[in-house]
Amino acid sequence: MTATFTDRSPRFIRIVRRIPVWIIVGILLVVVVYPLFWLLTGSLKTQEEFLNNPTWALPEDWTNFDNYVEAWTTGNLAVYIRNSVLAVVPALFLTIVFGVAAGFALEVMVWKGRGPVLLAFLAGIMIPGQMILLPLFTIYFRAGLTGTLWPLIITYTAIGLPLTVFMMATYFRSVPREIFEAATLDGANIFRMFWTIGFPLVRNAIFTVALVQFFFIWNDLLIALTFTTRDDLRTIQVGLLNFTGQFGQIQYGPTFAAIAVNVIGTLAIYLFLNQRVMKGLTAGSVKG
Amino acid sequence: MNRVLGDWRAILVLLGPALLVYTLVMLVPIFWSLGYTVFEGNPITGFEFVGLNNFATLFTDPKIADALVFTLKYAVVLTIAQVGFGYLLALIYVFWLRKASSLIRTLAFFPVVLPTVAVALLFQELFKIAPQNGLVNDLLNLVGIQSVDWFASPDTAFLVLILMDLWRSMGFYAVLLYAGLVDIPDDLFESARLDGASGWRLVRHIVIPLSLPVLLSSIIFSVNGTLKVFDSVLALTNGGPGNTTTPLTLYMYQTSFTYGEYGYGSSIALLLTIICLLVTIFIFRSSRRDLTKG
């Protein structure tokens, strides 16, 4: 973007003009960053400090990680994170494998009826999760799956498919058709074409879609809350929701630490991949 | 060539798994859920056919009216707030910060990826009154204002909810709208400036009209998302005080799982789905209108 408000006024006036903007940016930084900073400092405070010092005071000992230990073990955070990983990783894998293959079949391959099928997938994007909750609960209950993580894996896979299929179809559309036609003339069969040509060409796109789906699934509360009937199956979001209850309202430190673990974990992924996360999430969401 | 690209067996292998999972776990349950709407009960106590009773209840249940009003109020207020603030941020990114906006964009976007539950718990602590004040009440005391019990009254609870969701989402809309603004060709600004437009007039007559398509899709996307609000309400206020911050999604959840009313719960889910569908149809219609305008 090079659209500028160029003017020939002296530098001094330009600086004065920018003051309101810097104030806005300053406010923005305080509003976005300070609550997180407050959370992190809170997670290092002892119960004493919570009761005696003002809330904005800095922790007296910056290396006091007792709260984290407490949250991790007594607070079952370790178990919740394990459950989340066990549910999210297989679901993510299945969503991507099924979704990329379906996107290829719907966009690159030529057959009657692919329009309506793509539209059927598209319809799934706008259906609220509440609409499929009760039948699924009944099915999983009857199939005896309620004591496992399978309901989460299956549901996440299905819910992730519409957006994944749609985004993959869009990415395949931008690949010149001549590439696939040339490969056909060279005698490649369709599966070879998918693996050696289609897949590598959209590899970056797949990574972006996977990232988008990861954040959706990892942060899900509705599905996890409905289908995790046992305490030891709770995912991190459900566990966190019940966290304050577990310790009683008075235990500040471990609560702050538990929230902080969530925030720091997400922050780590985000800092490494922020441009891609921003692009992916905005692209994925607008199409939804 | 068409023999290869149109090979039915290959299509089945590639599309089959996705279509099967999608059909069994989403499409079938949607119709199954439609079937539930004419029954009363749940799988454990058994079902009883009640015809259109659930829909009759839908129209007379005062809690539905409350939930619907809350859902719409939340959707309208938050949409205006998040698209408005997002647009303001996007304008700041494009016109004032320019190339330096990358860092600010990255920072302002970060809350978008945070788990809602974590953010809600953080805001509970920020706005806490008892037994120990949170940061907000401490700051109020500092300037001589008495502590407020934010979650005790419907209006303040609503305010905190909106503030929290605004905090979570404005960076997202800012990036979305920023992408739209960056697409505007520079020569348009140049010629407008040559015609003597600057500052606010430039924004009003050039920037807003030209970013209207992306602004419109942000608004409709936002409405569609806010109508489905669930996580943030459940984690922040749990619908309270009373049921004053209970949206349709949460009421459906409570009806189904707290009271075991699958039939009525499905009817509420259907109502929500219809509202979302209407909004989506509106998306397609308005985007088509934009295309014809060129």
Side-chain angles (χ1 to χ4, degrees), chain B residues 5 7 48 72 99 123 127 157 177 203 279-280:
Chain B
L5 285 177
D7 179 1
E48 192 194 334
L72 296 177
K99 296 242 160 62
F123 270 69
F127 287 85
L177 290 159
V203 170
V279 172
T280 311

Side-chain angles (χ1 to χ4, degrees), chain B residues 74-212:
Chain B
Y74 172 87
V76 170
V77 172
L78 187 60
T79 296
I80 292 171
Q82 63 192 7
V83 177
F85 274 90
Y87 198 54
L88 195 68
L89 275 181
L91 289 175
I92 292 175
Y93 292 166
V94 173
F95 292 109
W96 284 282
L97 295 171
R98 287 174 225 154
K99 296 242 160 62
S101 75
S102 165
L103 179 70
I104 307 291
R105 268 183 287 148
T106 302
L107 275 173
F109 193 88
F110 176 55
V112 177
V113 296
L114 289 178
T116 315
V117 182
V119 175
L121 292 186
L122 171 63
F123 270 69
Q124 269 178 4
E125 297 295 337
L126 280 170
F127 287 85
K128 196 167 240 172
I129 181 166
Q132 201 67 18
N133 268 350
L135 185 65
V136 175
N137 276 331
D138 258 4
L139 289 177
L140 287 181
N141 292 346
L142 202 65
V143 294
I145 304 171
Q146 283 218 318
S147 300
V148 178
D149 193 349
W150 294 93
F151 298 108
S153 111
D155 290 337
T156 49
F158 181 74
L159 182 71
V160 177
L161 184 64
I162 292 289
L163 283 177
M164 176 182 94
D165 281 328
L166 183 61
W167 186 81
R168 286 196 323 118
S169 61
M170 63 182 182
F172 172 85
Y173 287 93
V175 169
L176 199 65
L177 290 159
Y178 171 78
L181 288 175
V182 170
D183 282 343
I184 299 175
D186 288 344
D187 13 336
L188 277 169
F189 292 108
E190 289 309 317
S191 53
R193 226 174 270 122
L194 286 177
D195 290 342
S198 67
W200 171 240
R201 274 165 51 94
L202 194 66
V203 170
R204 232 193 82 188
H205 296 288
I206 304 289
V207 179
I208 292 183
L210 283 175
S211 55
L212 213 54

Side-chain angles (χ1 to χ4, degrees), chain A residues 43-47 49 59 61-68:
Chain A
S43 71
L44 299 172
K45 291 181 187 173
T46 62
Q47 188 72 3
E49 293 175 73
D61 177 5
W62 285 87
T63 53
N64 167 31
F65 295 110
D66 293 353
N67 292 327
Y68 286 87

Side-chain angles (χ1 to χ4, degrees), chain B:
Chain B
M1 186 179 76
N2 277 343
R3 203 176 46 83
V4 178
L5 285 177
D7 179 1
W8 275 103
R9 233 182 20 191
I11 291 169
L12 212 64
V13 171
L14 291 171
L15 182 65
L19 199 59
L20 189 73
V21 172
Y22 178 66
T23 307
L24 287 181
V25 185
M26 282 197 80
L27 293 183
V28 170
I30 289 171
F31 291 102
W32 191 330
S33 189
L34 283 178
Y36 273 155
T37 59
V38 292
F39 286 94
E40 206 172 275
N42 62 58
I44 294 150
T45 61
F47 286 98
E48 192 194 334
F49 182 79
V50 292
L52 296 177
N53 265 7
N54 285 323
F55 295 104
T57 318
L58 213 52
F59 286 104
T60 50
D61 183 355
K63 279 189 169 174
I64 283 287
D66 290 348
L68 192 60
V69 167
F70 175 79
T71 304
L72 296 177
K73 187 171 101 173
Y74 172 87
V76 170
V77 172
L78 187 60
T79 296
I80 292 171
Q82 63 192 7
V83 177
F85 274 90
Y87 198 54
L88 195 68
L89 275 181
L91 289 175
I92 292 175
Y93 292 166
V94 173
F95 292 109
W96 284 282
L97 295 171
R98 287 174 225 154
K99 296 242 160 62
S101 75
S102 165
L103 179 70
I104 307 291
R105 268 183 287 148
T106 302
L107 275 173
F109 193 88
F110 176 55
V112 177
V113 296
L114 289 178
T116 315
V117 182
V119 175
L121 292 186
L122 171 63
F123 270 69
Q124 269 178 4
E125 297 295 337
L126 280 170
F127 287 85
K128 196 167 240 172
I129 181 166
Q132 201 67 18
N133 268 350
L135 185 65
V136 175
N137 276 331
D138 258 4
L139 289 177
L140 287 181
N141 292 346
L142 202 65
V143 294
I145 304 171
Q146 283 218 318
S147 300
V148 178
D149 193 349
W150 294 93
F151 298 108
S153 111
D155 290 337
T156 49
F158 181 74
L159 182 71
V160 177
L161 184 64
I162 292 289
L163 283 177
M164 176 182 94
D165 281 328
L166 183 61
W167 186 81
R168 286 196 323 118
S169 61
M170 63 182 182
F172 172 85
Y173 287 93
V175 169
L176 199 65
L177 290 159
Y178 171 78
L181 288 175
V182 170
D183 282 343
I184 299 175
D186 288 344
D187 13 336
L188 277 169
F189 292 108
E190 289 309 317
S191 53
R193 226 174 270 122
L194 286 177
D195 290 342
S198 67
W200 171 240
R201 274 165 51 94
L202 194 66
V203 170
R204 232 193 82 188
H205 296 288
I206 304 289
V207 179
I208 292 183
L210 283 175
S211 55
L212 213 54
V214 64
L215 202 56
L216 194 73
S217 60
S218 300
I219 291 171
I220 294 163
F221 173 68
S222 163
V223 174
N224 208 14
T226 47
L227 286 173
K228 295 179 195 166
V229 61
F230 180 78
D231 302 23
S232 45
V233 177
L234 179 71
L236 187 75
T237 66
N238 197 14
N243 64 340
T244 48
T245 58
T246 305
L248 281 174
T249 50
L250 185 57
Y251 185 48
M252 179 273 167
Y253 193 85
Q254 289 166 344
T255 309
S256 311
F257 294 106
T258 314
Y259 304 111
E261 285 291 339
Y262 274 38
Y264 192 40
S266 292
S267 308
I268 302 172
L270 181 62
L271 175 69
L272 183 71
T273 308
I274 290 171
I275 295 173
C276 290
L277 277 175
L278 289 177
V279 172
T280 311
I281 290 168
F282 186 67
I283 300 178
F284 285 124
R285 285 195 55 186
S286 37
S287 61
R288 200 174 301 154
R289 206 168 43 228
D290 273 333
L291 285 179
T292 51
K293 255 196 227 159

Side-chain angles (χ1 to χ4, degrees), chain A residues 96-97 99-101 103-104 107-108 164-165 167-176 179-180 193-210 276:
Chain A
I96 295 302
V97 171
V100 172
F104 183 83
E107 190 54 46
V108 176
T164 308
V165 169
M167 285 177 80
M168 288 323 302
T170 313
Y171 288 124
F172 276 120
R173 195 168 304 152
S174 62
V175 176
I179 295 181
F180 296 110
M193 196 143 78
F194 176 61
W195 266 116
T196 56
I197 303 171
F199 201 80
L201 278 174
V202 292
R203 201 161 42 196
N204 286 330
I206 292 172
F207 185 70
T208 305
V209 176
R276 220 182 247 275

Side-chain angles (χ1 to χ4, degrees), chain A:
Chain A
M1 184 76 214
T2 49
T4 49
F5 278 15
T6 38
D7 51 19
R8 278 167 224 97
S9 38
R11 207 178 148 182
F12 163 74
I13 294 180
R14 228 182 302 163
I15 291 172
V16 170
R17 273 194 174 183
R18 290 183 75 90
I19 287 178
V21 175
W22 288 117
I23 293 175
I24 295 172
V25 171
I27 293 173
L28 188 72
L29 286 183
V30 171
V31 164
V32 172
V33 178
Y34 190 68
L36 297 172
F37 178 75
W38 182 72
L39 169 72
L40 295 184
T41 53
S43 71
L44 299 172
K45 291 181 187 173
T46 62
Q47 188 72 3
E48 290 282 289
E49 293 175 73
F50 273 107
L51 297 176
N52 301 327
N53 297 354
T55 43
W56 57 78
L58 296 176
E60 280 161 15
D61 177 5
W62 285 87
T63 53
N64 167 31
F65 295 110
D66 293 353
N67 292 327
Y68 286 87
V69 175
E70 184 94 342
W72 193 259
T73 53
T74 322
N76 284 333
L77 218 50
V79 178
Y80 301 148
I81 290 179
R82 188 203 63 197
N83 288 337
S84 270
V85 170
L86 286 179
V88 168
V89 171
L92 200 57
F93 178 77
L94 291 175
T95 310
I96 295 302
V97 171
F98 291 174
V100 172
F104 183 83
L106 284 167
E107 190 54 46
V108 176
M109 298 189 72
V110 187
W111 47 289
K112 264 189 192 160
R114 55 186 187 150
V117 173
L118 189 61
L119 211 64
F121 272 111
L122 204 58
I125 296 178
M126 59 202 170
I127 298 292
Q130 274 80 3
M131 195 67 194
I132 58 169
L133 226 48
L134 297 175
L136 287 181
F137 194 79
T138 312
I139 300 170
Y140 296 143
F141 183 74
R142 285 204 197 137
L145 292 174
T146 36
T148 65
L149 288 169
W150 282 107
L152 295 188
I153 297 171
I154 297 168
T155 317
Y156 286 148
T157 306
I159 287 187
L161 276 175
L163 189 65
T164 308
V165 169
F166 186 67
M167 285 177 80
M168 288 323 302
T170 313
Y171 288 124
F172 276 120
R173 195 168 304 152
S174 62
V175 176
R177 292 204 79 82
E178 288 77 16
I179 295 181
F180 296 110
E181 282 162 11
T184 324
L185 293 178
D186 288 346
N189 81 29
I190 194 76
F191 297 110
R192 237 188 102 86
M193 196 143 78
F194 176 61
W195 266 116
T196 56
I197 303 171
F199 201 80
L201 278 174
V202 292
R203 201 161 42 196
N204 286 330
I206 292 172
F207 185 70
T208 305
V209 176
L211 206 58
V212 172
Q213 294 295 352
F214 168 78
F215 279 110
F216 282 164
I217 306 177
W218 186 266
N219 291 345
D220 162 77
L221 180 67
L222 179 68
I223 304 298
L225 194 63
T226 311
F227 298 134
T228 50
T229 43
R230 285 198 337 235
D231 290 352
D232 59 332
L233 288 177
R234 282 178 184 166
T235 63
I236 179 73
Q237 307 309 332
V238 184
L240 198 60
L241 188 66
N242 294 302
F243 202 85
T244 34
Q246 248 169 48
F247 275 99
Q249 293 291 319
I250 318 296
Q251 288 282 347
Y252 292 105
T255 306
F256 273 73
I259 307 171
V261 166
N262 264 276
V263 171
I264 296 168
T266 321
L267 179 69
I269 299 174
Y270 181 66
L271 283 183
F272 272 113
L273 304 163
N274 63 72
Q275 294 300 328
R276 220 182 247 275
V277 175
M278 277 195 254
K279 270 194 200 124
L281 275 179
T282 45
S285 307
V286 163
K287 277 157 196 156

